[in-house]
Amino acid sequence: MPFPRAKSLCQLYEEVQPYDRVITPDGPLASALNRHLDRPHLGPFAIPPRRLAVGRRQESEDRLAFLGMIANEDISWKRCAYAVGNILQCWEHQGSHDAIFEYDAYVDDATERAVDRISALETPSMKLTNETISPDLDVAVVEPEMLTQLERSYLPAEYDTVDLFTDTEFALPPFRIHDSPTAIVEAVVDSVSDANADNVGIVLDQESEYSPLIESALEAADIPFFGGPGFTDRSDHRLFLHFLRTAHRGTDTRVSEIRSLLTALDCGVDDCDADKRLHELDDEELSWLIDFCHDVQEHTFLDALSAFERRFDDTLDAFRAELETLAIADEPVTEERVDELSFYLQTYEVPVERENEGVLLADAKSASYVGREVVFYLGLDDRWTHSAPRRPWVDQDAQFTRNLKSFQLLLQSGSQQHYLVQDATGGSPVTPCLYFEELLEAEYDRFSDLPSTKHQFESAAKAGDRFENESVDVSYDPIETISKSSLNTYVNSPRDYYFSRIVDAPEKAHLTEGTLLHDFAEFYVNHPDAVDEETLTKIVDLLLDEVRPLIRSVDERTRRTEYRASLETIVSYLDANQPTDGAFLTPSSGGDNAIAAHFGRDVDAPVTERQFTDKELGINGMIDLVESPTALLDYKSGSEKSAASIVKHGAINEPTDEPDFQALLYLTYWRSQTPSEQLSFTFFYVTELVDDVIAGDVALDDALTTVTYSPESLTKHVQREEFFEYLREEGAQKCQKILSKIDYQTYAALFDAAPFVETTDSDELIESEFGQTMIERLEAEIGPYNYVTTGSKQVMRKIADRQKGAFFESDLDAFESFVDERLTELNRRRAGDEPFPIEGLAGEPNYRRVDNRDLLLEGER
């Protein structure tokens, strides 16, 4: 798929060699021609129009015009930048500095004042407008179509044109497809050394991920380069802006939001404090920053810079000079000024001094030619496409032609070209640069549709200098028991479980609230007489003090109301449901309790906070409240869940993406303590009734969900007379009607007539032999009425619902085996026999329930 070949430098020089002046559309192309000059020459030979007009390398004209405006006009910086940008752009395309006045929609007071201000400046554009190249010179213009209207106005009346491209064809080398940007960068860096750096150019989109990757890789390899990071790209400059913005973020700023700044300033913060508000931390390491934030508007920009430099232990002389240039060095650090400074640095390229040695980094959107022997092109995707200005003064066709020819010339820079690309990213194909549509006569959607080769690259460093694996004889202590939270995490993602054991997790508001509400419940069971209205108020204050660093300041009043309502809900329930005296239990271990410690009391009732570790079963946990020898209760601060939902997410044969084994695990343990008993596990959602408490209409049952365990099979359970009576009282209308017409013996005989199917699918039960036999027998007993058929189906749906919302002997037996399997598997992985995979038993993990998302790399197992 060829397209027109650009002339070689030697061929181009031969054509332009006789001329006095050679006008080129691109500075690097001019420099390359000048290096071929083989005779004495008076004045410049090959040169772009702007550089010829000013006689030197020009500074950014838009920045100079902007600085002139803000120094002399009382106009906002954004309005100045908008006006200056429109004027200069219109000037470039129409050839006159006041051409903007022909477009009324873009003319306002700021524009008129900007035109007057710009007309007084001695700029390259004004020289191009008012002057022309001497007619006494013999001038050649290389590819005039690539010049703008303003640049062409500088040309003499007579000149010769020289084409950049020939009638011969350039065969595009194959694209080299790599798996990732890192692989591409690694391939480039392994081909470059200090010795050949001056012969290498790299073209990339400087706003892409390739830019920081290639810069850091070259720096790490001690390979010199230039043309890359600018003033704003310097990490210390970005950090100073981050520092200024932090001071204006307000008192709700979280440590996690400014973690990079704190790390750079060597402020140590514990991982558990990551979600806390900066201004609520009592940390001597952070006191200077908090004080600065409180008093920020009393500081000038120079004061702020000095404070930053002292902590950063380095000087930012270039930033100090730029503050002086902007005339804001001695101004207060207001939020408006910080916004303007940030806008300025994002909009304009601040000149920096560079040493032009080593690898040349060129921006794909601004370069037309790279004067290096070997040129690497990174990415070549649709981000390389220029976005033509959408303004009425822009000739879109002419602009597209300039961009296309520039791209066409760029692709042929150097004697060796290497196009390194990705074919897909994030599961989606990478779209090649849109200019290829004009240059290549082929249909394609991605790079692999074009001539290409795929690379599985292994660098020399990887091959020879990699770390050696050494066998280390390290013993480890096997894990003998697992808690419900660890089991939940492990089943969702073993890799997340692994990291949760070695990485500290930040403290979360809902977890802290839940812990404190648990503490209060335990305190109230132990000391009910110590809690009155005044005590509740003090406890609310204590809860708020503990949680304040983790919540927004505007939420404090709402939280106060919620805490008070939750405490009252706990009191109401415990008053109405006094636990047994616990004589059948050993004394409690008396763990930490923030509420009890605050009031100087002990909490040692045997029925509260019962910690257990059962190595035979392989489980451990903490029972919040033992209400009776057969009833356990757990306090929850989340939203209420139904018994069916709890049983569903405790499934072990087909785990869900929200595994929750708490009820199953605790009932399994309690069964070992009270065998052959029917047990219950109740979830008490203490925050569920906040609205009802405020409205004065509380029904405690609305905050309770109970899951039962029966020490028998479902078949035996539903045959019992107790279940028959339950159906008579709690069944649907026609269910109650048909059962009122038969006795228990008739009901029990139904289970002898056909084999019962234990299933949670009511339709399956109804269609089974048992279901059809039940319908036939009841119709024979009661009569062939429609309500008998409907009532029979309602009975079977109620039976299926019972299995959906309760556990039976086989469920707990299977769970014991499930825990054994997980512990064996877990310890095998801890021993290094196999890796901890990302995927859990249900397949891809539920990432909403993952704590270490950043450590789980896509595509790994």
Side-chain angles (χ1 to χ4, degrees):
M1 291 169 291
F3 52 83
R5 177 181 290 277
K7 293 175 180 176
S8 68
L9 279 174
C10 291
Q11 185 179 359
L12 190 60
Y13 178 73
E14 286 298 322
E15 292 189 42
V16 301
Q17 188 267 345
Y19 292 91
D20 298 322
R21 294 285 184 274
V22 180
I23 302 302
T24 66
D26 186 74
L29 179 60
S31 298
L33 287 173
N34 287 329
R35 286 194 292 271
H36 277 70
L37 193 62
D38 57 2
R39 58 181 171 80
H41 191 276
L42 181 63
F45 175 60
I47 192 168
R50 285 183 174 275
R51 193 176 301 173
L52 178 61
V54 297
R56 63 184 185 279
R57 186 182 296 273
Q58 70 272 19
E59 293 188 55
S60 175
E61 190 172 349
D62 56 351
R63 174 176 170 271
L64 293 177
F66 171 81
L67 292 174
M69 281 287 290
I70 64 171
N72 297 281
E73 303 288 350
D74 185 20
I75 302 175
S76 74
W77 287 18
K78 285 191 176 182
R79 283 189 66 196
C80 283
Y82 179 75
V84 166
N86 283 337
I87 293 167
L88 293 179
Q89 189 186 88
C90 184
W91 194 351
E92 190 73 42
H93 288 272
Q94 297 298 318
S96 171
H97 77 283
D98 56 1
I100 189 72
F101 291 137
E102 298 178 13
Y103 306 93
D104 293 340
Y106 296 89
V107 178
D108 58 10
D109 178 59
T111 305
E112 293 175 352
R113 291 156 73 178
V115 169
D116 290 340
R117 183 66 55 188
I118 288 173
S119 65
L121 297 175
E122 189 174 328
T123 62
S125 292
M126 190 59 73
K127 283 185 172 291
L128 290 174
T129 303
N130 296 332
E131 301 175 7
T132 58
I133 300 174
S134 172
D136 297 333
L137 298 175
D138 194 7
V139 176
V141 180
V142 178
E143 204 66 36
E145 281 187 294
M146 294 180 68
L147 299 179
T148 65
Q149 181 65 33
L150 177 59
E151 290 170 330
R152 286 198 292 270
S153 71
Y154 184 63
L155 301 177
E158 295 183 2
Y159 57 85
D160 293 331
T161 63
V162 177
D163 292 334
L164 262 176
F165 303 97
T166 68
D167 294 331
T168 60
E169 296 177 337
F170 173 74
L172 193 71
F175 295 102
R176 300 175 183 272
I177 296 176
H178 291 263
D179 292 334
S180 67
T182 304
I184 289 174
V185 169
E186 191 173 51
V188 173
V189 174
D190 280 351
S191 302
V192 183
S193 66
D194 190 26
N196 66 11
D198 290 333
N199 295 322
V200 175
I202 299 174
V203 186
L204 43 75
D205 175 11
Q206 287 190 347
E207 295 181 359
S208 70
E209 66 272 28
Y210 294 103
S211 185
L213 285 175
I214 196 69
E215 290 161 15
S216 60
L218 290 172
E219 187 174 353
D222 289 327
I223 298 173
F225 65 93
F226 69 99
F231 182 90
T232 312
D233 297 317
R234 286 183 50 178
S235 60
D236 48 359
H237 290 176
R238 292 199 304 269
L239 280 169
F240 178 58
L241 273 179
H242 192 6
F243 174 67
L244 296 180
R245 286 217 174 277
T246 297
H248 287 286
R249 289 180 68 101
T251 57
D252 286 335
T253 303
R254 308 276 174 175
V255 168
S256 59
E257 296 169 344
I258 59 169
R259 195 63 179 268
S260 60
L261 175 65
L262 297 177
T263 300
L265 298 180
D266 199 26
C267 297
V269 179
D270 293 335
D271 288 335
C272 63
D273 292 333
D275 283 345
K276 292 183 178 179
R277 287 193 286 151
L278 171 69
H279 292 261
E280 293 297 330
L281 290 180
D282 184 15
D283 190 328
E284 188 174 342
E285 277 283 304
L286 300 175
S287 59
W288 72 274
L289 178 58
I290 296 172
D291 291 342
F292 178 84
C293 293
H294 280 306
D295 305 328
V296 60
Q297 299 203 39
E298 298 178 12
H299 296 280
T300 65
F301 278 93
L302 280 185
D303 293 337
L305 184 60
S306 297
F308 179 83
E309 288 174 329
R310 285 193 298 272
R311 188 73 193 194
F312 193 64
D313 197 23
D314 198 1
T315 58
L316 279 65
D317 293 334
F319 212 115
R320 179 175 280 99
E322 201 60 24
L323 292 175
E324 297 286 356
T325 299
L326 293 167
I328 63 171
D330 296 320
E331 289 193 13
V333 185
T334 63
E335 187 170 8
E336 180 182 5
R337 270 290 185 242
V338 172
D339 288 341
E340 289 181 332
L341 175 60
S342 178
F343 167 76
Y344 165 76
L345 294 175
Q346 292 171 1
T347 305
Y348 297 107
E349 183 178 346
V350 179
V352 295
E353 293 185 6
R354 303 180 188 273
E355 294 183 5
N356 295 342
E357 296 179 354
V359 175
L360 168 62
L361 303 183
D363 185 9
K365 291 184 180 178
S366 60
S368 297
Y369 180 81
V370 178
R372 293 299 174 98
E373 286 293 313
V374 180
V375 182
F376 294 95
Y377 302 80
L378 312 189
L380 287 159
D381 53 34
D382 54 1
R383 291 175 292 183
W384 280 43
T385 308
H386 293 261
S387 298
R390 297 294 178 183
R391 292 289 189 269
W393 51 77
V394 177
D395 184 335
Q396 297 292 326
D397 292 337
Q399 183 67 36
F400 180 79
T401 298
R402 283 193 290 272
N403 292 337
L404 181 63
K405 287 182 177 290
S406 175
F407 180 73
Q408 189 175 339
L409 177 62
L410 181 63
L411 286 181
Q412 301 179 53
S413 297
S415 57
Q416 295 182 42
Q417 302 88 21
H418 302 283
Y419 307 140
L420 283 68
V421 302
Q422 280 185 273
D423 194 46
T425 179
S428 300
V430 172
T431 303
C433 178
L434 301 184
Y435 296 130
F436 284 119
E437 291 184 0
E438 296 292 324
L439 298 177
L440 305 177
E441 297 177 0
E443 293 185 0
Y444 62 87
D445 294 315
R446 56 201 300 168
F447 285 108
S448 58
D449 296 335
L450 299 168
S452 57
T453 58
K454 293 188 177 181
H455 290 260
Q456 295 291 331
F457 190 81
E458 183 171 10
S459 68
K462 280 187 176 181
D465 300 331
R466 62 173 55 159
F467 292 109
E468 296 294 333
N469 291 328
E470 295 183 12
S471 179
V472 180
D473 185 16
V474 178
S475 61
Y476 76 99
D477 294 327
I479 292 179
E480 296 181 305
T481 64
I482 192 167
S483 67
K484 59 95 177 177
S485 57
S486 292
L487 185 59
N488 294 344
T489 301
Y490 183 80
V491 169
N492 184 49
S493 172
R495 183 79 58 86
D496 186 44
Y497 164 84
Y498 168 76
F499 283 121
S500 70
R501 293 181 61 86
I502 60 176
V503 177
D504 291 333
E507 188 175 344
K508 300 290 186 182
H510 69 278
L511 296 177
T512 301
E513 290 169 341
T515 298
L516 293 171
L517 290 173
H518 276 72
D519 286 352
F520 170 73
E522 181 184 22
F523 178 76
Y524 188 73
V525 170
N526 281 265
H527 306 287
D529 297 337
V531 177
D532 53 20
E533 291 296 313
E534 183 180 353
T535 305
L536 288 177
T537 300
K538 291 179 180 179
I539 293 174
V540 169
D541 291 338
L542 176 61
L543 264 64
L544 201 56
D545 288 342
E546 292 291 327
V547 179
R548 184 173 285 111
L550 296 164
I551 63 173
R552 298 182 306 167
S553 55
V554 295
D555 294 332
E556 287 189 15
R557 292 184 62 184
T558 302
R559 295 298 176 106
R560 183 180 292 278
T561 301
E562 291 175 350
Y563 296 157
R564 182 64 182 240
S566 298
L567 296 180
E568 291 178 357
T569 300
I570 293 172
V571 169
S572 298
Y573 177 83
L574 292 176
D575 284 346
N577 300 273
Q578 290 287 334
T580 58
D581 60 12
F584 61 97
L585 297 167
T586 59
S588 173
S589 57
D592 294 336
N593 185 302
I595 306 294
H598 180 76
F599 290 101
R601 299 284 190 118
D602 294 327
V603 283
D604 52 10
V607 297
T608 61
E609 299 300 310
R610 297 293 306 179
Q611 187 170 358
F612 65 87
T613 299
D614 192 315
K615 293 182 180 180
E616 184 175 342
L617 293 174
I619 54 179
N620 66 75
M622 179 80 75
I623 301 170
D624 289 347
L625 181 66
V626 180
E627 289 195 291
S628 74
T630 60
L632 308 179
L633 181 134
D634 191 80
Y635 304 105
K636 292 292 181 185
S637 55
S639 300
E640 183 184 11
K641 296 179 181 179
S642 66
S645 174
I646 292 168
V647 172
K648 173 185 175 182
H649 293 300
I652 57 177
N653 292 329
E654 296 182 4
T656 71
D657 65 349
E658 298 180 19
D660 187 352
F661 301 107
Q662 182 176 9
L664 198 52
L665 188 148
Y666 282 46
L667 288 169
T668 297
Y669 168 72
W670 205 244
R671 177 178 71 164
S672 69
Q673 306 300 303
T674 54
S676 304
E677 293 286 347
Q678 180 158 321
L679 309 176
S680 68
F681 189 91
T682 298
F683 292 93
F684 180 17
Y685 297 93
V686 298
T687 60
E688 184 71 18
L689 303 180
V690 171
D691 293 341
D692 295 340
V693 172
I694 295 173
D697 183 19
V698 178
L700 286 174
D701 287 345
D702 293 340
L704 303 173
T705 298
T706 298
V707 180
T708 60
Y709 161 71
S710 296
E712 58 191 350
S713 67
L714 172 67
T715 303
K716 289 185 177 180
H717 178 77
V718 297
Q719 289 183 57
R720 293 189 179 279
E721 188 171 0
E722 292 86 354
F723 190 75
F724 174 72
E725 295 300 332
Y726 162 78
L727 292 174
R728 277 183 162 185
E729 296 176 7
E730 302 294 334
Q733 183 177 6
K734 290 182 173 57
C735 167
Q736 294 183 24
K737 183 176 181 180
I738 64 170
L739 295 184
S740 67
K741 297 181 179 296
I742 63 173
D743 55 19
Y744 169 68
Q745 286 72 24
T746 303
Y747 170 80
L750 297 173
F751 293 88
D752 297 327
F756 177 72
V757 179
E758 295 189 358
T759 177
T760 57
D761 186 344
S762 58
D763 290 335
E764 180 185 356
L765 182 59
I766 291 170
E767 295 300 325
S768 69
E769 181 185 354
F770 172 84
Q772 294 303 306
T773 301
M774 171 183 280
I775 294 172
E776 292 171 0
R777 286 208 165 202
L778 290 179
E779 285 180 343
E781 180 75 21
I782 302 171
Y785 306 113
N786 287 336
Y787 79 85
V788 176
T789 301
T790 302
S792 299
K793 292 180 178 180
Q794 290 176 352
V795 169
M796 286 181 276
R797 290 195 177 97
K798 206 68 174 177
I799 291 174
D801 286 345
R802 174 53 60 96
Q803 186 167 5
K804 288 180 183 179
F807 294 115
F808 298 91
E809 186 175 36
S810 60
D811 297 320
L812 270 60
D813 291 344
F815 182 70
E816 289 185 13
S817 299
F818 178 77
V819 171
D820 287 340
E821 292 170 3
R822 299 287 75 75
L823 285 174
T824 300
E825 178 183 74
L826 171 59
N827 285 314
R828 190 168 62 245
R829 289 168 174 167
R830 293 184 73 240
D833 295 339
E834 60 183 83
F836 282 84
I838 291 178
E839 292 187 347
L841 293 181
E844 183 181 31
N846 182 344
Y847 284 107
R848 292 175 300 172
R849 300 168 68 89
V850 160
D851 293 324
N852 304 283
R853 180 65 181 88
D854 293 343
L855 299 176
L856 306 187
L857 303 181
E858 297 287 351
E860 289 195 2
R861 293 292 182 263

